[in-house]
Amino acid sequence: MNMVRHILGISGGKDSAALAIYLKNKYPQLRLEYYNTDTGCELAETELLINRLDTYLGGITMLRAAAGSPEPTPFEHFLKASGNYLPSPQARWCTNKMKLVEMEKFVSNMPTISYVGIRGDEDREGYVSTKPNIQSIFPFRKNIWSVDVINKVLSNNNIPQLISIYTSLCDGDILIEAKKIIEKPLTKEFYYSKKTNALLDLDTKLFNKAVFKYLKTTDYPVGKLDDFPLVDNDDILVRDDIFRILEESGVGVPAYYKPIEFEVDGKVGTYNRSRSGCYFCFFQQKIEWIWLYEQHPELYQKAMDFEKGGYTWNQNESLADLIKPERIRQIKLDAIKKQEAKRQAGSCRLADNIGDIDEDNFCANCFI
């Protein structure tokens, strides 16, 4: 068997932490390597979680961009190099320069499988490396394969090969049903995700075995393995499972997820940070900025200090304007209104009320 590395990036967030614990316990034969890309701008609560995981997992490799720079943090190094142009959702140079580049250096040219903690209750795709030697796998989802793999396996040109693979793996009624799905060509009405879900619904493990057999004919890292235990896994893990894994392991839920009460105009609400990442992350909601201002005022001040030359973290609003008393009041009232609507919809469980504010509006590589 060719040497294939198995890696898992620890962001300091709940999902990557739970995935590391889950895989270590369920698949010790994978010999996972854990790494963290240190930006120098994490909350103390994030660093505490990473330290606990380091003990639990038996070691995390720490990566840090711009080693040897005279600037105090990698972020400040790259900010200076960019002429103080702050990163934004449209220009996420921070993720690329501080995280992705370092991860790809860590991997080098070795065939590598990267395990990513996108949950089964999330409807989004994760980072797929542009380097052909790095393949992403998503163990918490029903579909563990990345979109590039699915596009190749289910392409109309690959229909004969996929039928041949299924014929070698099964027979009887299930083969008849599988052939019906496979032979139906992709169209605007019957697109990749529909075809994928039809085959997964028919038999998840059978689909995984078929994809694995297909990958054996390619240069994908998974195809270089003699066997891949995750093809026999049909677990689907959702947010409740994540909190359970963290609590049961003793690692615990990161402290910044815990709701803190506030009161405004006689009304009570809660706020918390919804995910890991740099304390000044531009993907934060406005109420999270207020949480930072009130819970970590020194970090809020640092974030304010970065706003120079007209560049701001939030489009059309500076951090100085954000903390004017009337603005804080309005942001808190807006948060209370959203929380009341959520309660009226019947969601009162702990896992439903901490973390994951506006889940689709962020960069997966930093936060999972």
Side-chain angles (χ1 to χ4, degrees):
M1 182 185 78
N2 290 320
M3 181 63 182
V4 176
R5 291 175 68 183
H6 301 264
I7 67 169
L8 198 163
I10 302 295
S11 70
K14 65 185 187 308
D15 295 337
S16 63
L19 179 61
I21 295 164
Y22 171 83
L23 291 178
K24 176 181 171 63
N25 293 333
K26 187 158 186 174
Y27 300 107
Q29 69 270 40
L30 289 179
R31 299 183 65 181
L32 273 157
E33 300 174 63
Y34 310 97
Y35 71 92
N36 169 257
T37 44
D38 178 21
T39 66
C41 300
E42 303 286 354
L43 292 167
E45 296 96 323
T46 302
E47 292 174 359
L48 177 61
L49 177 78
I50 292 168
N51 289 338
R52 286 178 179 166
L53 277 171
D54 185 61
T55 300
Y56 186 92
L57 300 172
I60 298 172
T61 299
M62 302 303 293
L63 311 178
R64 190 172 172 108
S69 170
E71 299 300 325
T73 67
F75 176 77
E76 284 160 287
H77 170 86
F78 291 113
L79 181 65
K80 189 174 182 179
S82 71
N84 288 317
Y85 180 79
L86 292 175
S88 69
Q90 293 75 37
R92 286 178 281 183
W93 60 255
C94 49
T95 304
N96 184 52
K97 291 184 180 299
M98 292 194 293
K99 291 180 176 283
L100 299 183
V101 169
E102 292 308 306
M103 181 269 276
E104 292 182 348
K105 279 186 199 170
F106 173 63
V107 166
S108 188
N109 294 316
M110 288 285 290
T112 299
I113 301 167
S114 174
Y115 296 85
V116 182
I118 292 179
R119 303 189 311 268
D121 55 352
E122 293 182 282
D123 183 20
R124 61 188 175 91
E125 287 299 323
Y127 165 72
V128 176
S129 176
T130 55
K131 294 187 71 174
N133 61 304
I134 302 175
Q135 179 178 1
S136 296
I137 292 289
F138 306 91
F140 285 161
R141 304 190 318 193
K142 188 172 187 178
N143 173 26
I144 66 173
W145 310 103
S146 55
V147 66
D148 57 316
V149 168
I150 291 296
N151 288 352
K152 287 183 174 66
V153 172
L154 298 186
S155 73
N156 288 335
N157 293 335
N158 198 47
I159 286 173
Q161 185 177 359
L162 193 55
I163 287 174
S164 174
I165 289 171
Y166 262 82
T167 302
S168 72
L169 293 173
C170 65
D171 55 21
D173 290 344
I174 197 162
L175 179 59
I176 293 169
E177 289 303 311
K179 280 184 175 179
K180 286 180 187 175
I181 299 167
I182 296 166
E183 288 171 348
K184 188 174 179 180
L186 293 163
T187 63
K188 287 182 180 178
E189 290 72 35
F190 190 60
Y191 39 87
Y192 282 103
S193 60
K194 278 196 172 182
K195 194 164 187 175
T196 304
N197 288 333
L199 289 168
L200 285 167
D201 289 343
L202 179 66
D203 190 317
T204 299
K205 293 180 182 180
L206 178 59
F207 178 70
N208 288 341
K209 287 172 183 175
V211 174
F212 180 55
K213 194 159 187 178
Y214 167 80
L215 291 174
K216 300 288 280 182
T217 68
T218 72
D219 284 330
Y220 275 95
V222 167
K224 299 179 186 299
L225 299 173
D226 293 334
D227 60 83
F228 186 48
L230 269 75
V231 300
D232 287 314
N233 185 10
D234 55 5
D235 289 350
I236 302 173
L237 277 78
V238 298
R239 190 164 44 171
D240 283 347
D241 299 309
I242 302 310
F243 288 104
R244 175 182 51 76
I245 288 168
L246 291 173
E247 295 290 9
E248 289 180 357
S249 69
V251 169
V253 177
Y256 53 75
Y257 286 124
K258 301 292 173 67
I260 297 170
E261 278 196 357
F262 62 79
E263 185 175 339
V264 59
D265 292 0
K267 298 179 180 179
V268 176
T270 62
Y271 60 14
N272 59 279
R273 188 173 170 89
S274 64
R275 53 186 70 95
S276 64
C278 299
Y279 63 84
F280 46 66
C281 182
F282 44 82
F283 280 121
Q284 289 180 92
Q285 302 297 295
K286 297 294 175 69
I287 191 64
E288 294 181 84
W289 279 110
I290 301 306
W291 174 91
L292 184 70
Y293 172 63
E294 295 184 347
Q295 303 302 317
H296 294 279
E298 75 291 350
L299 295 181
Y300 193 94
Q301 181 61 53
K302 279 187 180 180
M304 267 200 332
D305 293 342
F306 288 130
E307 294 190 326
K308 297 173 184 173
Y311 296 122
T312 56
W313 293 110
N314 295 285
Q315 193 173 8
N316 302 324
E317 185 170 32
S318 71
L319 292 186
D321 287 338
L322 197 71
I323 55 172
K324 289 177 179 176
E326 184 54 34
R327 185 69 177 114
I328 292 177
R329 175 180 169 273
Q330 189 57 55
I331 290 169
K332 286 185 173 180
L333 286 173
D334 289 345
I336 289 169
K337 189 175 179 181
K338 285 182 183 178
Q339 289 163 18
E340 286 175 347
K342 198 171 184 179
R343 277 193 293 271
Q344 286 170 7
S347 180
C348 59
R349 296 173 305 163
L350 172 67
D352 284 338
N353 288 294
I354 64 178
D356 298 341
I357 300 170
D358 194 15
E359 284 186 308
D360 60 349
N361 183 27
F362 61 95
C363 175
N365 192 268
C366 282
F367 300 120
I368 53 176

